[in-house]
Amino acid sequence: MKIAISACLLGEKVRFDKGHKRDEFVMDELSKYAEFISFCPEHFAFGSPRPSIKMVKDNENLKIISNKTGEDLTDTLLQSSQNDLEKVKTNNVVGIIFKSKSPTCGLISSKVYLENGFAEGKDDGMFASLCKKEFPLLPMEEEGRLQDSWLRENFIMQVFAYDSFERFKQSAKIKDLVLYHQHSKFMLQSKDETLYRELGRIVGNHEPKEFSDILSEYEYVFKTAISKKSSIGKTRNVLEHIAGFLKTFLDSDEKKILHEQIDDYANKIIPVIVPLSTLKLYATKYNVSYLLEQTFLNPYPKELALRSDIKSVK
Ligand code: SF4
């Protein structure tokens, strides 16, 4: 899968001072599973090194101004941003990771200044803003926010689910969609129960509709659902629900330990991987294929170890 990413996070020396901001998680972990498509609208427009720039509010418009000369560089940066936008578009990426706080790449973290030099809140950088308009359903995060284990886990699950749907839709038929929805059940419920039910209604389609229309409708709601953040409450419900499928196989001690683990997870005493591993063990032992096929049990490569972190839930 391809992920678009601010070039400086890849260690490319494209910053205004010819430096970089190599990101450890991106380079040492995520790089094993994704091909990166780099972008740097500032380097493309002005080269490196270059004078730094800032975002300035002019009435309701935001413009890009050189910190050194005061020159208005909005049009030049807009042009190079369009160029990188095209690159992102043609590469069919399944996510974007931006460098935080940059007037070009920041995602709601770019400082906005008034003409008089005072700071006035934060907004999206110019390129990030174009990406949000162009790809409203594409997973997007900043490297700064990805330091938070909960946001990281949610983003990675979203990216892998988005990628899985993109591959699925290439050759999907209606019966495949029924199965796809079935396998996604617990993952979707851990995100948004209402949207999960809405997706069930779309798959169950009782109106005379073309499959391509059903698939587009499903895609929109599916991608919206996976953009939602999980919570301890929602995940706990899913774990209890999975446990419900196993209750006829387990004796009272096994049930007691399993429910203790789910409680300990909900009380943030142990990470979610503990009850999940127990559920997976019983599902395997008793060959409950309905559970073993659930994306929720293996939403991304286990080596990322995101569910082993107690802080990956909120
Ligand atoms: S933050 Fe964006 S514009 Fe700035 S150096 Fe990194 S990639 Fe280039």
Side-chain angles (χ1 to χ4, degrees):
M1 65 183 184
K2 292 181 182 176
I3 295 179
I5 185 155
S6 294
C8 55
L9 295 175
L10 299 176
E12 295 178 24
K13 294 181 174 174
V14 291
R15 277 169 60 86
F16 71 98
D17 56 1
K18 217 164 181 235
H20 62 78
K21 284 280 177 187
R22 186 186 186 279
D23 186 84
E24 231 170 74
F25 171 66
V26 165
M27 293 304 289
D28 301 340
E29 303 290 331
L30 202 50
S31 61
K32 294 172 191 156
Y33 311 102
E35 178 189 339
F36 295 136
I37 305 299
S38 73
F39 56 81
C40 180
E42 286 186 36
H43 178 74
F44 190 80
F46 313 117
S48 307
R50 57 184 175 273
S52 61
I53 56 174
K54 64 181 172 190
M55 199 152 57
V56 175
K57 194 170 179 182
D58 173 19
N59 294 320
E60 280 319 299
N61 297 323
L62 292 173
K63 55 187 187 181
I64 296 291
I65 301 294
S66 164
N67 275 324
K68 188 174 175 192
T69 63
E71 192 185 348
D72 186 338
L73 301 171
T74 312
D75 288 346
T76 316
L77 189 62
L78 196 56
Q79 230 170 14
S80 65
S81 293
Q82 289 293 356
N83 188 73
D84 272 335
L85 193 66
E86 203 47 42
K87 189 172 168 187
V88 172
K89 212 186 290 181
T90 52
N91 270 288
N92 296 322
V93 302
V94 297
I96 308 182
I97 300 177
F98 294 103
K99 168 74 188 79
S100 58
K101 298 178 185 165
S102 144
T104 305
C105 292
L107 203 60
I108 332 176
S109 64
S110 316
K111 266 193 188 159
V112 177
Y113 293 87
L114 296 172
E115 300 267 17
N116 62 14
F118 285 111
E120 143 113 346
K122 290 175 182 168
D123 208 325
D124 295 323
M126 179 183 274
F127 182 62
S129 162
L130 288 175
C131 287
K132 273 167 94 171
K133 281 192 199 109
E134 186 71 34
F135 317 110
L137 296 172
L138 193 64
M140 293 181 201
E141 264 302 354
E142 295 184 323
E143 105 294 353
R145 281 166 51 90
L146 289 178
Q147 301 306 314
D148 178 301
S149 307
W150 179 64
L151 292 173
R152 180 183 289 191
E153 205 273 338
N154 274 278
F155 177 70
I156 294 299
M157 194 186 285
Q158 185 189 4
V159 163
F160 276 87
Y162 190 101
D163 178 54
S164 124
F165 189 82
E166 285 299 300
R167 283 183 286 112
F168 163 74
K169 76 176 183 190
Q170 304 303 326
S171 58
K173 310 264 183 310
I174 186 71
K175 69 172 185 347
D176 304 325
L177 185 60
V178 172
L179 266 187
Y180 188 85
H181 181 63
Q182 186 177 306
H183 296 165
S184 306
K185 172 180 172 161
F186 293 126
M187 191 262 296
L188 291 166
Q189 284 184 317
S190 76
K191 297 288 176 184
D192 193 302
E193 175 75 31
T194 310
L195 292 177
Y196 163 70
R197 288 181 191 282
E198 172 69 9
L199 286 164
R201 191 195 57 74
I202 295 169
V203 174
N205 173 49
H206 298 299
E207 298 155 35
K209 271 191 199 165
E210 292 290 326
F211 177 62
S212 56
D213 293 336
I214 299 172
L215 191 63
S216 309
E217 213 182 316
Y218 189 92
E219 177 172 7
Y220 179 79
V221 181
F222 180 87
K223 288 182 175 174
T224 305
I226 61 173
S227 73
K228 307 289 178 187
K229 306 281 185 270
S230 63
S231 68
I232 288 182
K234 286 187 274 187
T235 305
R236 182 193 189 130
N237 284 344
V238 167
L239 295 173
E240 297 283 7
H241 202 138
I242 297 176
F245 279 85
L246 294 162
K247 67 178 179 212
T248 51
F249 301 108
L250 306 184
D251 64 29
S252 57
D253 285 342
E254 287 168 331
K255 279 185 205 161
K256 187 168 169 270
I257 289 174
L258 178 57
H259 287 289
E260 246 172 48
Q261 288 184 347
I262 296 176
D263 284 346
D264 285 351
Y265 150 72
N267 291 319
K268 292 188 172 185
I269 297 167
I270 55 174
V272 71
I273 192 68
V274 179
L276 266 175
S277 298
T278 306
L279 289 166
K280 222 189 275 188
L281 168 74
Y282 290 139
T284 307
K285 184 173 177 187
Y286 299 109
N287 196 21
V288 187
S289 54
Y290 179 76
L291 294 182
L292 293 172
E293 285 161 357
Q294 288 294 323
T295 308
F296 184 73
L297 294 189
N298 300 294
Y300 43 75
K302 64 180 179 191
E303 289 76 8
L304 285 166
L306 303 174
R307 286 165 151 183
S308 308
D309 186 345
I310 213 154
K311 293 190 188 128
S312 71
V313 296
K314 271 188 192 167

